[in-house]
């Protein structure tokens, strides 16, 4: 080694003498000599060479090479970019104002000369300057780095060093681009990036595959990701979606770190948000496997991975809450975020499975369908245990608890008798769960409405809801839904579900021996008046009148007028609603025949107790 160093030192000295020469020819010869023996990891020598040649000569050489025409222009350009990229391996040089100021020129060169032989050095230079200082990456963002790099990505060879460095540069850019700076052009450029990187994520089986995974995950976790969905849906070539599915399957079915599987699940959740749940189903061709994998492989892997994550994360969160409350807020929020991703995936799969009958051939066979149902059932049981733990510790508020109720509600909407005993034990608690931003329970009841509507079709379900206080929760939910969206018709689906649930209980009042509180009745009647009075929607009028007719069985006009906030005006409006719903008004249709029967039968029972309402029906 000593002998090698002695032989090398004179060459470096000779090189430095040439670089310090007065004529450009001497300096050019010195630079050519540098490229022959000065290694990229020899930072000491690189710094000496940089100080000897001076930035002015390098700048002239770069501009000569990037100009139009001229003899040996390509040689000068390649030499200058190669030498500059080598110098930037010295952090002190890379972070200098001189190097940062050259980023716009390098981008201009890349946009004019996209040949791979020069691009690799350009990418190397941009990456080194961007990682050396904040000014470097901001200069790259503000100089249109994404605009230059995005169109070139698809032309770079798979797995090449240029592709690797380009992906690393894009990771830096994505973290720095703000949602305020996004525009139509930039979204289009990002969609090109996603498509090109998705291919690398699919075809590669080395470290670069994970770099591609991390870049895609960062894009879909950004503040502006939702606005990227439409440009991606509009991509003329849909191969990128198949590449994403293949990459996700490759990650999930191999032994990789849990963090990498989480990134893959983030991609799966994003893809279903963009293209719908049907994205889960499709043929997958792995480079290492001769035949196509079954079309349902991605669905099964995503579901199983989500199930495992929910089991692990719910245990960890419960431990952090109740056994180790000293854990950091950041760690707690991070685990909640991961749990929310797994919950979202399970909900999307539930939604997809609910439409299997409408999409024949989407699952390979009945055994696969049953396996999906079994895994969903096991997952919901884990979530119910999480809620049970929270109930035992007296915790009712939390977005993780609210999300848990939502998942359970999604599943029970399709299979209301699933996990029956656990659901019965926890129903009153689930209806009391509040999100962080709520002042009282509301969303939890909304999430459970489809299930509540179905179980109250039977006496057992009505009895359960009435005895648990669930009836009051549903009425309060209905009142709030009407107050929020009732007159706009924006959430009529949820309103009608709540109405059906209330009506189911009121119709079975004798079988379950149920009698509602007068204060609850008053609030309900006022909300129904607000909802139906003045609307032209016959279904709204008939539904409101039916519930009013059933409520009137429990009270009288005199009793109602004694209630706070209920006056003659409210009663008069109720009378108009009942009048519009009866046969003489012409409201009745075949679709509302059952409701008309409820109203007419009720009127015959309580009409004499409500003279104001009777007055409107003469």
């Amino acid at each position: 080694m000593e002998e090698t160093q002695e032989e090398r030192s004179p060459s470096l000295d000779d090189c430095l003498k040439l670089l310090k020469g007065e004529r450009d020819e001497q300096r050019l010869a010195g630079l050519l000599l540098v490229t022959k023996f000065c290694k990229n990891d020899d930072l000491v020598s690189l710094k000496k060479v940089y100080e000897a040649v001076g930035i002015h000569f390098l700048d002239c050489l770069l501009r000569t090479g990037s100009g139009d025409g001229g003899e040996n222009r390509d040689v000068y350009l390649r030499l200058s970019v190669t030498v500059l990229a080598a110098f930037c391996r010295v952090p002190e040089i890379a972070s200098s104002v001189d190097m940062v100021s050259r980023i716009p020129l390098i981008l201009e060169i890349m946009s004019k000369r996209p040949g791979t032989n020069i691009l690799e050095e350009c990418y190397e230079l941009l990456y080194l300057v961007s990682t050396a200082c904040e000014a470097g990456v901001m200069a790259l963002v503000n100089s249109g780095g994404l605009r230059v790099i995005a169109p070139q990505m698809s032309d770079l060879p798979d797995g090449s060093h240029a592709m690797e460095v380009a992906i690393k540069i894009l990771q830096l850019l994505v973290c720095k681009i703000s949602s305020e700076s996004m525009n139509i052009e930039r979204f289009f450029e990002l969609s090109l990036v996603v498509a090109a990187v998705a291919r690398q994520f699919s075809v590669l089986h080395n470290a670069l595959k994970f770099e591609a995974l991390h870049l895609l995950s960062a894009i879909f976790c950004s503040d502006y990701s939702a606005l990227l969905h439409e440009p991606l849906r509009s991509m003329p070539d849909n191969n990128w979606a198949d590449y994403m599915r293949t990459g996700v399957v490759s990650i999930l079915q191999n032994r990789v770190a849990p963090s990498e599987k989480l990134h893959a699940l983030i991609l799966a959740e994003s893809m279903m948000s963009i293209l719908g749940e049907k994205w889960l189903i499709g043929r997958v061709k792995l480079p290492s496997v001769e035949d196509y994998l079954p079309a349902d492989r991605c669905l099964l892997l995503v579901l199983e991975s989500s199930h495992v994550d929910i089991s692990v994360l719910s245990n960890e969160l419960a431990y952090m809450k109740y056994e180790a409350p000293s854990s950091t807020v950041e760690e707690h929020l991070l685990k909640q975020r991961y749990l929310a991703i797994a919950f979202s995936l399970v909900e999307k799969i539930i939604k997809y499975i609910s439409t299997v009958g409408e999409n024949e051939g989407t699952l390979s066979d009945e055994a696969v369908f049953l396996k999906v149902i079994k895994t969903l059932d096991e997952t919901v049981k884990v979530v119910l245990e999480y809620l049970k733990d929270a109930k035992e510790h007296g915790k009712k508020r939390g977005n993780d608890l609210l999300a848990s109720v939502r998942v359970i509600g999604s599943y029970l909407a399709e299979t209301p008798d699933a996990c029956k005993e656990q659901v019965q034990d926890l129903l009153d608690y689930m209806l009391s769960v509040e999100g962080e931003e709520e002042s009282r329970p509301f969303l939890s009841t909304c999430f459970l409405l489809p299930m509540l509507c179905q179980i109250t079709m039977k006496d057992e379900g009505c009895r359960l809801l009435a005895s648990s206080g669930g009836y009051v929760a549903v009425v309060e939910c209905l009142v709030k839904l009407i107050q929020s969206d009732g007159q706009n018709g924006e959430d009529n689906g949820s309103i009608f579900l709540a109405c059906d649930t209330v009506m189911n209980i009121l119709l079975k009042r004798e079988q379950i021996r149920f009698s509602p509180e007068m204060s609850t009745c008053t609030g309900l009647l006022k909300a129904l008046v607000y909802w139906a009075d003045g609307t032209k929607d016959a279904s709204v009028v008939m539904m409101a009148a039916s519930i009013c007719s059933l409520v009137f069985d429990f009270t009288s006009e005199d009793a109602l007028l004694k209630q706070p906030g209920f006056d003659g005006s409210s009663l008069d409006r109720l009378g108009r609603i009942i009048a519009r719903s009866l046969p003489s008004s012409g409201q009745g249709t075949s679709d509302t025949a059952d409701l008309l029967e409820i109203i007419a039968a009720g009127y015959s029972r309580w009409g004499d107790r409500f003279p104001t309402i009777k007055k409107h029906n003469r």
Side-chain angles (χ1 to χ4, degrees):
M1 291 180 65
E2 289 178 1
E3 184 178 350
T4 302
Q5 184 66 31
E6 287 175 2
E7 292 176 357
R8 184 168 174 269
S9 293
S11 297
L12 176 59
D13 291 339
D14 292 340
C15 171
L16 294 176
K17 289 177 183 178
L18 286 171
L19 292 171
K20 293 176 181 179
E22 296 181 358
R23 300 194 310 276
D24 287 347
E25 291 83 355
Q26 290 176 301
R27 294 180 178 181
L28 185 60
L31 279 181
L32 290 170
L33 190 58
V34 165
T35 62
K36 300 296 183 182
F37 74 86
C38 197
K39 296 181 180 179
N40 284 336
D41 59 354
D42 188 354
L43 303 187
V44 174
S45 296
L46 286 172
K47 188 175 181 181
K48 289 180 180 179
V49 171
Y50 177 76
E51 292 171 348
V53 70
I55 193 65
H56 178 71
F57 178 74
L58 290 172
D59 195 40
C60 291
L61 186 63
L62 182 62
R63 294 188 181 280
T64 301
S66 60
D68 296 326
E71 201 173 338
N72 297 322
R73 179 172 56 83
D74 290 341
V75 175
Y76 292 154
L77 178 61
R78 181 167 180 79
L79 175 61
S80 58
V81 173
T82 299
V83 171
L84 283 171
F87 287 151
C88 286
R89 292 188 174 276
V90 182
E92 182 182 339
I93 298 174
S95 61
S96 67
V97 174
D98 288 326
M99 284 301 175
V100 171
S101 66
R102 269 146 193 78
I103 284 181
L105 181 56
I106 296 299
L107 289 173
E108 182 182 342
I109 291 168
M110 291 171 64
S111 63
K112 290 181 179 179
R113 301 177 177 276
T116 305
N117 61 336
I118 190 71
L119 276 181
E120 188 169 318
E121 282 81 5
C122 289
Y123 282 135
E124 193 78 28
L125 189 154
L126 292 177
Y127 176 68
L128 291 170
V129 175
S130 299
T131 53
C133 62
E134 181 74 9
V137 69
M138 292 312 300
L140 187 55
V141 171
N142 297 328
S143 302
L146 185 63
R147 182 179 65 251
V148 174
I149 296 172
Q152 297 175 350
M153 292 284 290
S154 60
D155 295 327
L156 297 178
D158 291 339
S160 63
H161 182 64
M163 177 66 81
E164 179 182 359
V165 182
I167 287 176
K168 289 181 177 180
I169 291 173
L170 288 166
Q171 287 175 339
L172 294 171
L173 288 178
V174 167
C175 294
K176 294 298 180 181
I177 295 175
S178 64
S179 55
E180 293 79 12
S181 68
M182 296 299 292
N183 52 38
I184 294 175
E185 180 184 6
R186 190 163 278 183
F187 280 122
F188 173 71
E189 292 159 1
L190 265 181
S191 67
L192 295 179
V193 168
V194 169
V197 177
R199 175 176 170 80
Q200 303 304 300
F201 179 48
S202 170
V203 303
L204 299 180
H205 284 277
N206 53 26
L208 186 54
K209 183 184 192 75
F210 295 99
E211 295 293 342
L213 169 62
H214 298 160
L215 174 56
L216 292 169
S217 176
I219 291 173
F220 287 126
C221 288
S222 64
D223 294 338
Y224 47 78
S225 62
L227 296 175
L228 186 60
H229 290 185
E230 190 54 41
L232 286 170
R233 290 190 196 103
S234 305
M235 292 284 285
D237 185 355
N238 256 348
N239 285 338
W240 72 275
D242 295 329
Y243 289 142
M244 293 285 272
R245 188 188 309 108
T246 299
V248 167
V249 168
S250 177
I251 294 293
L252 295 182
Q253 75 174 11
N254 283 293
R255 298 180 66 179
V256 300
S259 59
E260 306 297 357
K261 290 194 174 186
L262 175 64
H263 284 298
L265 291 178
I266 290 172
L267 297 192
E269 199 275 339
S270 299
M271 291 303 295
M272 284 188 275
S273 297
I274 297 169
L275 299 176
E277 293 77 16
K278 64 182 183 297
W279 172 84
L280 280 170
I281 302 295
R283 294 195 304 175
V284 173
K285 179 67 172 68
L286 298 177
S288 57
V289 180
E290 184 175 346
D291 297 324
Y292 281 96
L293 299 179
D296 48 42
R297 179 63 60 85
C298 187
L299 168 67
L300 292 173
L301 286 170
V302 169
L303 177 57
E304 182 58 36
S305 298
S306 300
H307 169 65
V308 170
D309 277 1
I310 288 171
S311 300
V312 172
L313 289 168
S314 60
N315 279 333
E316 290 178 348
L317 275 171
Y319 177 78
M320 290 168 64
K321 281 184 178 183
Y322 315 127
E323 305 296 333
S326 59
S327 56
T328 64
V329 174
E330 292 77 10
E331 186 180 4
H332 198 140
L333 291 175
L334 189 63
K335 290 188 183 299
Q336 282 193 340
R337 176 174 168 266
Y338 294 161
L339 185 63
I341 292 168
F343 279 167
S344 178
L345 285 165
V346 169
E347 285 188 73
K348 285 178 166 58
I349 291 173
I350 290 169
K351 181 180 177 182
Y352 178 77
I353 292 300
S354 69
T355 64
V356 164
E358 304 167 13
N359 300 282
E360 293 183 7
T362 53
L363 292 179
S364 58
D365 54 38
E366 185 180 358
V368 173
F369 179 78
L370 293 176
K371 183 176 181 180
V372 170
I373 297 300
K374 182 176 181 292
T375 306
L376 287 173
D377 205 55
E378 292 172 350
T379 303
V380 169
K381 287 178 180 176
V382 170
V383 180
L384 285 165
E385 283 296 321
Y386 183 61
L387 289 177
K388 181 182 178 182
D389 204 10
K391 178 183 178 182
E392 291 173 351
H393 285 86
K395 302 291 185 180
K396 293 183 179 181
R397 176 182 289 269
N399 290 339
D400 56 324
L401 302 179
L402 186 61
S404 300
V405 174
R406 177 170 172 161
V407 171
I408 292 167
S410 297
Y411 187 58
L412 295 180
E414 306 302 327
T415 56
D417 291 328
C419 312
K420 193 171 183 179
E421 291 185 6
Q422 285 177 287
V423 171
Q424 289 178 348
D425 291 342
L426 287 170
L427 182 58
D428 59 337
Y429 170 76
M430 288 193 289
L431 291 169
S432 71
V433 167
E434 302 171 1
E436 297 289 353
E437 306 301 321
E438 292 186 294
S439 58
R440 58 184 304 139
F442 169 66
L443 291 174
S444 55
T445 308
C446 292
F447 297 150
L448 295 171
L449 278 177
M451 180 269 290
L452 296 175
C453 185
Q454 291 183 71
I455 66 170
T456 51
M457 291 179 183
K458 298 178 181 179
D459 292 356
E460 181 186 12
C462 289
R463 192 173 290 110
L464 172 65
L465 200 59
S467 64
S468 67
Y471 171 78
V472 175
V474 173
V475 169
E476 290 179 349
C477 177
L478 174 57
V479 170
K480 188 166 183 177
L481 284 169
I482 290 173
Q483 290 173 343
S484 302
D485 305 306
Q487 291 194 331
N488 299 324
E490 295 178 4
D491 202 13
N492 266 358
S494 295
I495 291 175
F496 274 99
L497 277 174
C499 285
D500 284 338
T501 305
V502 170
M503 189 179 298
N504 288 341
I505 294 177
L506 294 176
L507 286 170
K508 293 181 173 61
R509 59 192 181 280
E510 293 181 0
Q511 296 94 313
I512 65 174
R513 298 180 180 179
F514 172 71
S515 180
E517 292 287 334
M518 186 57 66
S519 58
T520 304
C521 292
T522 305
L524 176 59
L525 291 173
K526 289 176 66 177
L528 292 171
V529 166
Y530 176 80
W531 185 40
D533 191 26
T535 183
K536 295 180 180 180
D537 189 335
S539 63
V540 170
V541 174
M542 296 300 289
M543 177 61 78
S546 300
I547 296 176
C548 290
S549 182
L550 294 170
V551 170
F552 289 160
D553 280 325
F554 298 97
T555 186
S556 66
E557 183 170 315
D558 290 340
L560 275 179
L561 290 173
K562 292 177 182 177
Q563 291 296 310
F566 197 92
D567 54 21
S569 173
S570 299
L571 198 59
D572 199 57
R573 295 169 72 190
L574 277 173
R576 291 200 298 266
I577 293 171
I578 296 295
R580 291 176 61 189
S581 69
L582 288 172
S584 60
S585 68
Q587 286 277 17
T589 66
S590 58
D591 295 334
T592 59
D594 290 343
L595 298 180
L596 182 58
E597 184 179 340
I598 291 171
I599 300 165
Y603 185 76
S604 66
R605 293 191 303 270
W606 46 254
D608 292 337
R609 301 199 306 273
F610 289 86
T612 300
I613 293 176
K614 198 167 185 178
K615 176 185 68 176
H616 283 279
N617 289 278
R618 288 173 183 168

